[in-house]
Amino acid sequence: MKKNVISIVALLIIVMLGGVFTIREMMFPIKYKDEIKKYSKEYRLDPYEVAAFINFETNFQNKKYEENNTSGLMNFRDEKAIEVAKKMGLKDFKPKDLEIPEVAINLGSYYLSKLKEEHSSLLKVVSEWAMRNNPEDEVMREYSKKYYLPKIEKRINIYKILYPGLKL
């Protein structure tokens, strides 16, 4: 009887660990930790927020460049990427450079930091983030408040639990 209890407990532990691993690696992966830490520190951001935005936008699947479509890890379109790169002082930037994960994380983190400087609430930051590629789309602004914000907040909290070592 005691062997059965021990076996059941061991099996439950294995299943739980497998579940955490699956959630961590499949649903909430994190790639490019060093880059996230580097640019979070440089732009005074919470690395969990950067990871949450990347997860929400692309689930860390780097999108190849297609002219006038969103690309990179953080889904920037050509025009917005060029505008942000100029503000950052990136020389010789081309939208195709968004395919390079470090460039995409740098550009996205910089943009997030500027939004956070302008807006005190995560709601406004998320709303403006959602509008970055289509600033005139008011329907998207309202949609982002209802859809984007809860998903970003959820991801931030999940990343804090699954990746405690990400904090600077």
Side-chain angles (χ1 to χ4, degrees), residues 114-149:
K114 294 304 171 191
L115 291 177
K116 288 189 76 135
E117 285 176 11
E118 292 174 26
H119 308 287
S120 59
S121 74
L122 185 59
L123 171 64
K124 280 297 276 179
V125 169
V126 169
S127 178
E128 293 302 313
W129 173 269
M131 303 299 294
R132 72 195 176 285
N133 293 314
N134 297 309
E136 307 302 318
D137 189 349
E138 288 303 317
V139 172
M140 181 58 144
R141 185 177 308 280
E142 288 306 311
Y143 180 72
S144 71
K145 291 175 185 175
K146 293 177 186 159
Y147 179 72
Y148 280 50
L149 181 63

Side-chain angles (χ1 to χ4, degrees), residues 1 3 15 26 34 39 45 50 54 58 61 68 78 83 88-89 93 98 100 112 121 128 132 134 137 150 157 161 167:
M1 178 69 170
K3 274 187 173 183
V15 168
M26 304 285 267
D34 292 339
Y39 293 112
L45 294 168
V50 175
I54 296 171
T58 63
Q61 301 301 311
N68 296 318
D78 298 8
E83 174 191 321
M88 294 173 70
F93 175 82
L98 289 170
I100 303 166
L112 269 174
S121 74
E128 293 302 313
R132 72 195 176 285
N134 297 309
D137 189 349
N157 291 328
I161 293 167
K167 192 67 178 168

Side-chain angles (χ1 to χ4, degrees), residues 18-31 51-61 151-152 154-159 162-163:
V20 168
F21 177 79
T22 300
I23 289 170
R24 203 177 134 129
E25 299 304 318
M26 304 285 267
M27 295 176 65
F28 297 97
I30 191 163
K31 298 177 185 175
F53 275 89
I54 296 171
N55 176 274
F56 180 78
E57 290 295 338
T58 63
N59 198 30
F60 287 88
Q61 301 301 311
K151 294 202 178 274
I152 295 290
K154 175 182 167 187
R155 282 165 171 77
I156 291 168
N157 291 328
I158 289 171
Y159 274 108
L162 294 178
Y163 298 95

